[in-house]
Amino acid sequence: MTIYHISAECYPVAKVGGLGDVVGALPKYQNEMGAASSVIMPFYNNKFTNSNKFKKVFGGRFNLGVPFDFDILTLIDNALGYDVYLVDIPGLLYTDYVYSSNDTERFLGFQIAALDWLVQLDHKPEVVHCHDHHTGLIPFMMSQCYAYAQLKNTPSVFTIHNAQYQGWFGHDKIHLIPPFDFSKVGLLDWQNLINPMACAIKCAWKVTTVSPNYMEELNYGANGLEDLLRYESGKCVGILNGIDAELWNPATDDSLIKNYSIKTVATGKKANKAWLCKEFNLNPKLPLFAFIGRLVGEKGADLLPDIFHNALVHKNVSIFMLGSGDVAMEYQLEKLKYQFEGYYHAYIGYNERLAHIVYAAADFLLMPSRVEPCGLNQMYALRYGTVPIVNKIGGLKDTVQDFENNGFGILHDGATVHEGSFAIHRAINFYNDTEQFKANRNVMMKIDHSWNSSAQAYINLYNSLIL
Ligand code: GLC
């Protein structure tokens, strides 16, 4: 089965968030199951593209008001476990960032170039799997645009990683979309705007999202798409994301200060914690709480300064924060450093290697998210023997059970400072109950969140469309 995943991100080529992790791992697992799964993504100007060699497999030209030349490139030495095809559009997509303010044109160009290439292949795709709104017009273009008539009967799957971002733009840009039967213009529209996410929900053969619980939540909270999702519910399904259990393995992870397995978790975590605490001037004897992620309201990052403050005044915890995003939140989080020297550190930025060390070093990982379609960080934490403290929503609800309810993590009900602070209070008691806390690490590390079962669920879904 030939599957093409189309996405703006794919780790390690380019990653901003969880989308990159998912598209970087799912095809690998699908290939191991005998499918022929590959990725189409933009060719950005970044460390990965600058330090690897590529060869051209196709060249073309499309019109977006003005003509653009593009190449489809592929890696010469590829150890990713799947083929990756990069769409290089100089002057449009070849940028040193992934997202920006002119994304409408950039990702329209990307989608057109990808389809211009796919449509002329001798061996056509059997399934086209699009991820998030940057690829949301593809199911429409495959089924409606004259230029892609040969892909009309090819099944398309669309995965919603986050319904907050829909990629909408005005009808004044409709001429940028390749010609189609204009009586079908309604498929593009949602509330008088061209809405790529809404359009994909209408046009894709199947719509998935990244956890069963988020699928439920979307019926009453989808940033304006609730009615549409309810109407299309027959073709929608929630499939829980997995993690790349080879990349995220504390026994082999070469980012770590010391590797460890279930048997050696106590000494392994201790060594990583000692390093992190020394490096960032924290007290290793205290329970270490961490936050890793984008500093945006969706992740509850605006609550962190107060939650941290409430905990730090007692001087019985260490806290490490790794992330970047909203400038005001960065400032607030940075400021706390001077007030709680020796107990708190904020690392503003993105640092993949440091993130791995933090998962290994921390005792607890905080995720007070308001919206969390799946969340991968709690699964990385579990794999590294770190207790996730999460707000009970989205995929967090599907993956974490409370330790006081036959589970292994800490759940709180609502993204508020009070709930977050009370959860930390419960966590400290849990930590002090040393035997239970230690035994719990083994329980967490045994949980299998690898892609094995979910990659198969997607294959079953594709099969239902092909056969
Ligand atoms: C988005 C969601 C996150 C999810 C990820 C991968 O980043 O916000 O919850 O885990 O996509 O699907």
mmCIF file of all heavy atoms in Angstrom, residues 9 17-23 132 159-163 165 209-210 214 241 294 298-299 367 371-379 395 451, ligand 1:
data_model
loop_
_atom_site.group_PDB
_atom_site.id
_atom_site.type_symbol
_atom_site.label_atom_id
_atom_site.label_comp_id
_atom_site.label_asym_id
_atom_site.label_seq_id
_atom_site.Cartn_x
_atom_site.Cartn_y
_atom_site.Cartn_z
ATOM 1 N N GLU A 9 5.461 19.794 8.980
ATOM 2 C CA GLU A 9 6.568 19.433 9.887
ATOM 3 C C GLU A 9 6.817 17.932 9.839
ATOM 4 O O GLU A 9 5.866 17.159 9.651
ATOM 5 C CB GLU A 9 6.205 19.759 11.347
ATOM 6 C CG GLU A 9 5.904 21.188 11.647
ATOM 7 C CD GLU A 9 5.472 21.367 13.119
ATOM 8 O OE1 GLU A 9 6.000 20.669 14.006
ATOM 9 O OE2 GLU A 9 4.591 22.201 13.358
ATOM 10 N N GLY A 17 6.328 21.501 16.906
ATOM 11 C CA GLY A 17 5.616 20.881 18.029
ATOM 12 C C GLY A 17 5.352 19.409 17.768
ATOM 13 O O GLY A 17 6.048 18.757 16.965
ATOM 14 N N GLY A 18 4.289 18.907 18.408
ATOM 15 C CA GLY A 18 3.970 17.483 18.338
ATOM 16 C C GLY A 18 3.681 16.977 16.930
ATOM 17 O O GLY A 18 3.934 15.801 16.624
ATOM 18 N N LEU A 19 3.164 17.845 16.063
ATOM 19 C CA LEU A 19 2.905 17.441 14.677
ATOM 20 C C LEU A 19 4.179 16.847 14.052
ATOM 21 O O LEU A 19 4.138 15.806 13.390
ATOM 22 C CB LEU A 19 2.419 18.662 13.868
ATOM 23 C CG LEU A 19 2.316 18.497 12.360
ATOM 24 C CD1 LEU A 19 1.255 17.469 11.988
ATOM 25 C CD2 LEU A 19 1.987 19.845 11.688
ATOM 26 N N GLY A 20 5.302 17.523 14.296
ATOM 27 C CA GLY A 20 6.581 17.056 13.752
ATOM 28 C C GLY A 20 6.935 15.673 14.278
ATOM 29 O O GLY A 20 7.382 14.799 13.522
ATOM 30 N N ASP A 21 6.718 15.451 15.556
ATOM 31 C CA ASP A 21 7.027 14.148 16.150
ATOM 32 C C ASP A 21 6.161 13.042 15.546
ATOM 33 O O ASP A 21 6.634 11.946 15.262
ATOM 34 C CB ASP A 21 6.794 14.183 17.668
ATOM 35 C CG ASP A 21 7.919 14.908 18.398
ATOM 36 O OD1 ASP A 21 8.973 15.136 17.786
ATOM 37 O OD2 ASP A 21 7.728 15.249 19.576
ATOM 38 N N VAL A 22 4.881 13.340 15.368
ATOM 39 C CA VAL A 22 3.958 12.323 14.853
ATOM 40 C C VAL A 22 4.318 11.957 13.408
ATOM 41 O O VAL A 22 4.472 10.776 13.066
ATOM 42 C CB VAL A 22 2.500 12.836 14.935
ATOM 43 C CG1 VAL A 22 1.555 11.944 14.146
ATOM 44 C CG2 VAL A 22 2.065 12.902 16.393
ATOM 45 N N VAL A 23 4.491 12.966 12.563
ATOM 46 C CA VAL A 23 4.775 12.677 11.153
ATOM 47 C C VAL A 23 6.182 12.088 10.990
ATOM 48 O O VAL A 23 6.456 11.372 10.035
ATOM 49 C CB VAL A 23 4.559 13.939 10.280
ATOM 50 C CG1 VAL A 23 4.851 13.659 8.831
ATOM 51 C CG2 VAL A 23 3.121 14.435 10.434
ATOM 52 N N ASP A 132 -3.251 18.502 9.397
ATOM 53 C CA ASP A 132 -3.543 19.899 9.798
ATOM 54 C C ASP A 132 -3.814 20.828 8.614
ATOM 55 O O ASP A 132 -3.666 20.467 7.459
ATOM 56 C CB ASP A 132 -2.440 20.440 10.718
ATOM 57 C CG ASP A 132 -2.822 20.267 12.200
ATOM 58 O OD1 ASP A 132 -3.961 19.839 12.476
ATOM 59 O OD2 ASP A 132 -1.995 20.569 13.066
ATOM 60 N N THR A 159 -6.007 14.414 9.134
ATOM 61 C CA THR A 159 -5.892 14.337 10.596
ATOM 62 C C THR A 159 -5.848 15.728 11.205
ATOM 63 O O THR A 159 -5.040 16.569 10.800
ATOM 64 C CB THR A 159 -4.629 13.532 10.998
ATOM 65 O OG1 THR A 159 -4.797 12.191 10.549
ATOM 66 C CG2 THR A 159 -4.448 13.524 12.517
ATOM 67 N N ILE A 160 -6.747 15.942 12.162
ATOM 68 C CA ILE A 160 -6.769 17.201 12.917
ATOM 69 C C ILE A 160 -5.841 17.041 14.118
ATOM 70 O O ILE A 160 -6.123 16.265 15.025
ATOM 71 C CB ILE A 160 -8.197 17.507 13.441
ATOM 72 C CG1 ILE A 160 -9.198 17.570 12.291
ATOM 73 C CG2 ILE A 160 -8.212 18.781 14.273
ATOM 74 C CD1 ILE A 160 -10.661 17.674 12.757
ATOM 75 N N HIS A 161 -4.735 17.777 14.100
ATOM 76 C CA HIS A 161 -3.841 17.755 15.264
ATOM 77 C C HIS A 161 -4.226 18.844 16.242
ATOM 78 O O HIS A 161 -3.907 18.765 17.422
ATOM 79 C CB HIS A 161 -2.380 17.924 14.831
ATOM 80 C CG HIS A 161 -1.866 16.740 14.073
ATOM 81 N ND1 HIS A 161 -1.145 15.728 14.656
ATOM 82 C CD2 HIS A 161 -2.017 16.381 12.770
ATOM 83 C CE1 HIS A 161 -0.861 14.806 13.749
ATOM 84 N NE2 HIS A 161 -1.380 15.177 12.595
ATOM 85 N N ASN A 162 -4.856 19.878 15.715
ATOM 86 C CA ASN A 162 -5.288 20.956 16.586
ATOM 87 C C ASN A 162 -6.312 21.805 15.848
ATOM 88 O O ASN A 162 -5.975 22.472 14.863
ATOM 89 C CB ASN A 162 -4.077 21.813 16.985
ATOM 90 C CG ASN A 162 -4.412 22.738 18.127
ATOM 91 O OD1 ASN A 162 -5.582 23.097 18.318
ATOM 92 N ND2 ASN A 162 -3.414 23.122 18.883
ATOM 93 N N ALA A 163 -7.555 21.785 16.314
ATOM 94 C CA ALA A 163 -8.624 22.493 15.596
ATOM 95 C C ALA A 163 -8.643 23.994 15.889
ATOM 96 O O ALA A 163 -9.425 24.721 15.301
ATOM 97 C CB ALA A 163 -9.977 21.878 15.946
ATOM 98 N N TYR A 165 -6.333 26.071 15.125
ATOM 99 C CA TYR A 165 -5.729 26.740 13.962
ATOM 100 C C TYR A 165 -6.348 26.164 12.697
ATOM 101 O O TYR A 165 -6.271 24.970 12.451
ATOM 102 C CB TYR A 165 -4.210 26.511 13.956
ATOM 103 C CG TYR A 165 -3.539 26.897 15.256
ATOM 104 C CD1 TYR A 165 -3.200 25.927 16.195
ATOM 105 C CD2 TYR A 165 -3.272 28.229 15.553
ATOM 106 C CE1 TYR A 165 -2.596 26.277 17.401
ATOM 107 C CE2 TYR A 165 -2.672 28.591 16.752
ATOM 108 C CZ TYR A 165 -2.332 27.600 17.673
ATOM 109 O OH TYR A 165 -1.744 27.954 18.863
ATOM 110 N N THR A 209 -8.772 12.387 14.401
ATOM 111 C CA THR A 209 -8.037 13.268 15.295
ATOM 112 C C THR A 209 -7.242 12.412 16.248
ATOM 113 O O THR A 209 -7.338 11.181 16.211
ATOM 114 C CB THR A 209 -8.932 14.294 15.997
ATOM 115 O OG1 THR A 209 -8.069 15.230 16.647
ATOM 116 C CG2 THR A 209 -9.857 13.663 17.015
ATOM 117 N N VAL A 210 -6.413 13.081 17.092
ATOM 118 C CA VAL A 210 -5.298 12.374 17.687
ATOM 119 C C VAL A 210 -5.558 11.730 19.050
ATOM 120 O O VAL A 210 -4.628 11.239 19.668
ATOM 121 C CB VAL A 210 -4.057 13.296 17.708
ATOM 122 C CG1 VAL A 210 -3.532 13.504 16.296
ATOM 123 C CG2 VAL A 210 -4.386 14.655 18.343
ATOM 124 N N TYR A 214 -10.531 13.739 22.546
ATOM 125 C CA TYR A 214 -10.552 15.023 21.827
ATOM 126 C C TYR A 214 -11.614 14.992 20.732
ATOM 127 O O TYR A 214 -12.280 15.991 20.477
ATOM 128 C CB TYR A 214 -9.160 15.316 21.251
ATOM 129 C CG TYR A 214 -9.039 16.674 20.585
ATOM 130 C CD1 TYR A 214 -9.296 17.850 21.286
ATOM 131 C CD2 TYR A 214 -8.644 16.789 19.250
ATOM 132 C CE1 TYR A 214 -9.168 19.094 20.681
ATOM 133 C CE2 TYR A 214 -8.517 18.029 18.641
ATOM 134 C CZ TYR A 214 -8.788 19.177 19.367
ATOM 135 O OH TYR A 214 -8.662 20.407 18.763
ATOM 136 N N ASN A 241 -2.446 9.063 19.355
ATOM 137 C CA ASN A 241 -1.059 9.100 18.888
ATOM 138 C C ASN A 241 -0.198 8.129 19.674
ATOM 139 O O ASN A 241 -0.485 7.823 20.829
ATOM 140 C CB ASN A 241 -0.443 10.488 19.131
ATOM 141 C CG ASN A 241 -0.851 11.508 18.096
ATOM 142 O OD1 ASN A 241 -1.240 11.154 16.982
ATOM 143 N ND2 ASN A 241 -0.737 12.772 18.458
ATOM 144 N N ARG A 294 5.496 24.925 24.469
ATOM 145 C CA ARG A 294 5.270 26.268 23.938
ATOM 146 C C ARG A 294 4.563 27.117 24.988
ATOM 147 O O ARG A 294 3.634 26.654 25.646
ATOM 148 C CB ARG A 294 4.429 26.195 22.657
ATOM 149 C CG ARG A 294 5.230 25.721 21.449
ATOM 150 C CD ARG A 294 4.396 25.646 20.199
ATOM 151 N NE ARG A 294 3.286 24.720 20.330
ATOM 152 C CZ ARG A 294 2.010 25.023 20.135
ATOM 153 N NH1 ARG A 294 1.674 26.242 19.792
ATOM 154 N NH2 ARG A 294 1.073 24.103 20.252
ATOM 155 N N GLU A 298 -3.053 28.049 25.284
ATOM 156 C CA GLU A 298 -3.541 26.686 25.098
ATOM 157 C C GLU A 298 -2.871 25.664 26.024
ATOM 158 O O GLU A 298 -3.476 24.719 26.483
ATOM 159 C CB GLU A 298 -3.139 26.308 23.685
ATOM 160 C CG GLU A 298 -4.195 25.728 22.835
ATOM 161 C CD GLU A 298 -3.592 25.527 21.471
ATOM 162 O OE1 GLU A 298 -2.905 24.525 21.281
ATOM 163 O OE2 GLU A 298 -3.800 26.404 20.604
ATOM 164 N N LYS A 299 -1.593 25.899 26.275
ATOM 165 C CA LYS A 299 -0.828 24.977 27.128
ATOM 166 C C LYS A 299 -0.923 25.381 28.605
ATOM 167 O O LYS A 299 -0.259 24.803 29.450
ATOM 168 C CB LYS A 299 0.649 24.954 26.709
ATOM 169 C CG LYS A 299 0.871 24.548 25.263
ATOM 170 C CD LYS A 299 0.666 23.057 25.055
ATOM 171 C CE LYS A 299 0.788 22.669 23.585
ATOM 172 N NZ LYS A 299 0.178 21.376 23.281
ATOM 173 N N MET A 367 1.552 19.631 32.983
ATOM 174 C CA MET A 367 0.842 19.962 31.742
ATOM 175 C C MET A 367 -0.551 20.511 32.082
ATOM 176 O O MET A 367 -1.548 19.798 31.988
ATOM 177 C CB MET A 367 0.719 18.725 30.839
ATOM 178 C CG MET A 367 2.063 18.183 30.357
ATOM 179 S SD MET A 367 1.902 16.749 29.272
ATOM 180 C CE MET A 367 1.360 17.496 27.731
ATOM 181 N N VAL A 371 -6.215 23.191 26.139
ATOM 182 C CA VAL A 371 -6.545 22.395 24.954
ATOM 183 C C VAL A 371 -5.373 21.448 24.738
ATOM 184 O O VAL A 371 -4.226 21.894 24.691
ATOM 185 C CB VAL A 371 -6.689 23.294 23.692
ATOM 186 C CG1 VAL A 371 -7.030 22.453 22.470
ATOM 187 C CG2 VAL A 371 -7.713 24.391 23.910
ATOM 188 N N GLU A 372 -5.638 20.144 24.635
ATOM 189 C CA GLU A 372 -4.547 19.210 24.369
ATOM 190 C C GLU A 372 -5.090 18.041 23.554
ATOM 191 O O GLU A 372 -5.521 17.021 24.097
ATOM 192 C CB GLU A 372 -3.923 18.721 25.680
ATOM 193 C CG GLU A 372 -2.551 18.101 25.512
ATOM 194 C CD GLU A 372 -1.508 19.079 24.975
ATOM 195 O OE1 GLU A 372 -0.930 19.833 25.768
ATOM 196 O OE2 GLU A 372 -1.292 19.077 23.746
ATOM 197 N N PRO A 373 -5.113 18.191 22.239
ATOM 198 C CA PRO A 373 -5.696 17.160 21.374
ATOM 199 C C PRO A 373 -5.166 15.755 21.682
ATOM 200 O O PRO A 373 -5.927 14.805 21.764
ATOM 201 C CB PRO A 373 -5.317 17.629 19.983
ATOM 202 C CG PRO A 373 -5.279 19.137 20.119
ATOM 203 C CD PRO A 373 -4.716 19.391 21.486
ATOM 204 N N CYS A 374 -3.865 15.633 21.834
ATOM 205 C CA CYS A 374 -3.337 14.366 22.337
ATOM 206 C C CYS A 374 -2.336 14.663 23.436
ATOM 207 O O CYS A 374 -2.529 14.313 24.575
ATOM 208 C CB CYS A 374 -2.659 13.550 21.227
ATOM 209 S SG CYS A 374 -1.948 12.038 21.900
ATOM 210 N N GLY A 375 -1.262 15.366 23.068
ATOM 211 C CA GLY A 375 -0.165 15.569 24.005
ATOM 212 C C GLY A 375 0.773 14.387 23.902
ATOM 213 O O GLY A 375 0.339 13.227 23.965
ATOM 214 N N LEU A 376 2.028 14.687 23.685
ATOM 215 C CA LEU A 376 3.031 13.618 23.614
ATOM 216 C C LEU A 376 3.931 13.666 24.845
ATOM 217 O O LEU A 376 4.452 12.646 25.280
ATOM 218 C CB LEU A 376 3.886 13.778 22.347
ATOM 219 C CG LEU A 376 3.121 13.735 21.023
ATOM 220 C CD1 LEU A 376 4.029 14.117 19.866
ATOM 221 C CD2 LEU A 376 2.532 12.347 20.798
ATOM 222 N N ASN A 377 4.073 14.871 25.422
ATOM 223 C CA ASN A 377 5.023 15.030 26.532
ATOM 224 C C ASN A 377 4.706 14.114 27.716
ATOM 225 O O ASN A 377 5.613 13.602 28.359
ATOM 226 C CB ASN A 377 5.057 16.489 27.003
ATOM 227 C CG ASN A 377 5.636 17.404 25.938
ATOM 228 O OD1 ASN A 377 5.908 16.966 24.821
ATOM 229 N ND2 ASN A 377 5.818 18.666 26.261
ATOM 230 N N GLN A 378 3.409 13.911 27.979
ATOM 231 C CA GLN A 378 3.072 13.032 29.104
ATOM 232 C C GLN A 378 3.506 11.592 28.807
ATOM 233 O O GLN A 378 3.878 10.848 29.706
ATOM 234 C CB GLN A 378 1.566 13.104 29.432
ATOM 235 C CG GLN A 378 0.629 12.320 28.553
ATOM 236 C CD GLN A 378 0.299 13.041 27.240
ATOM 237 O OE1 GLN A 378 0.992 13.961 26.822
ATOM 238 N NE2 GLN A 378 -0.761 12.610 26.578
ATOM 239 N N MET A 379 3.495 11.233 27.502
ATOM 240 C CA MET A 379 3.914 9.867 27.158
ATOM 241 C C MET A 379 5.436 9.739 27.227
ATOM 242 O O MET A 379 5.963 8.710 27.640
ATOM 243 C CB MET A 379 3.410 9.515 25.762
ATOM 244 C CG MET A 379 1.904 9.567 25.625
ATOM 245 S SD MET A 379 1.364 8.689 24.154
ATOM 246 C CE MET A 379 0.363 9.919 23.362
ATOM 247 N N GLY A 395 -6.394 14.378 25.004
ATOM 248 C CA GLY A 395 -5.651 13.121 25.060
ATOM 249 C C GLY A 395 -5.033 12.871 26.419
ATOM 250 O O GLY A 395 -4.658 11.736 26.743
ATOM 251 N N TRP A 451 4.032 3.415 18.736
ATOM 252 C CA TRP A 451 3.064 3.553 17.651
ATOM 253 C C TRP A 451 2.445 2.225 17.207
ATOM 254 O O TRP A 451 1.531 2.227 16.370
ATOM 255 C CB TRP A 451 3.752 4.214 16.444
ATOM 256 C CG TRP A 451 3.586 5.708 16.444
ATOM 257 C CD1 TRP A 451 4.536 6.637 16.751
ATOM 258 C CD2 TRP A 451 2.401 6.442 16.104
ATOM 259 N NE1 TRP A 451 4.006 7.891 16.635
ATOM 260 C CE2 TRP A 451 2.704 7.805 16.243
ATOM 261 C CE3 TRP A 451 1.113 6.086 15.718
ATOM 262 C CZ2 TRP A 451 1.775 8.817 15.986
ATOM 263 C CZ3 TRP A 451 0.187 7.097 15.460
ATOM 264 C CH2 TRP A 451 0.518 8.436 15.601
HETATM 265 C C1 GLC B 1 -0.708 19.291 18.336
HETATM 266 C C2 GLC B 1 -1.550 19.156 19.603
HETATM 267 C C3 GLC B 1 -0.979 18.107 20.545
HETATM 268 C C4 GLC B 1 -0.739 16.810 19.768
HETATM 269 C C5 GLC B 1 0.145 17.075 18.554
HETATM 270 C C6 GLC B 1 0.410 15.839 17.718
HETATM 271 O O1 GLC B 1 0.510 19.890 18.635
HETATM 272 O O2 GLC B 1 -1.641 20.397 20.277
HETATM 273 O O3 GLC B 1 -1.869 17.849 21.598
HETATM 274 O O4 GLC B 1 -0.119 15.868 20.604
HETATM 275 O O5 GLC B 1 -0.461 18.031 17.719
HETATM 276 O O6 GLC B 1 -0.758 15.274 17.214
#
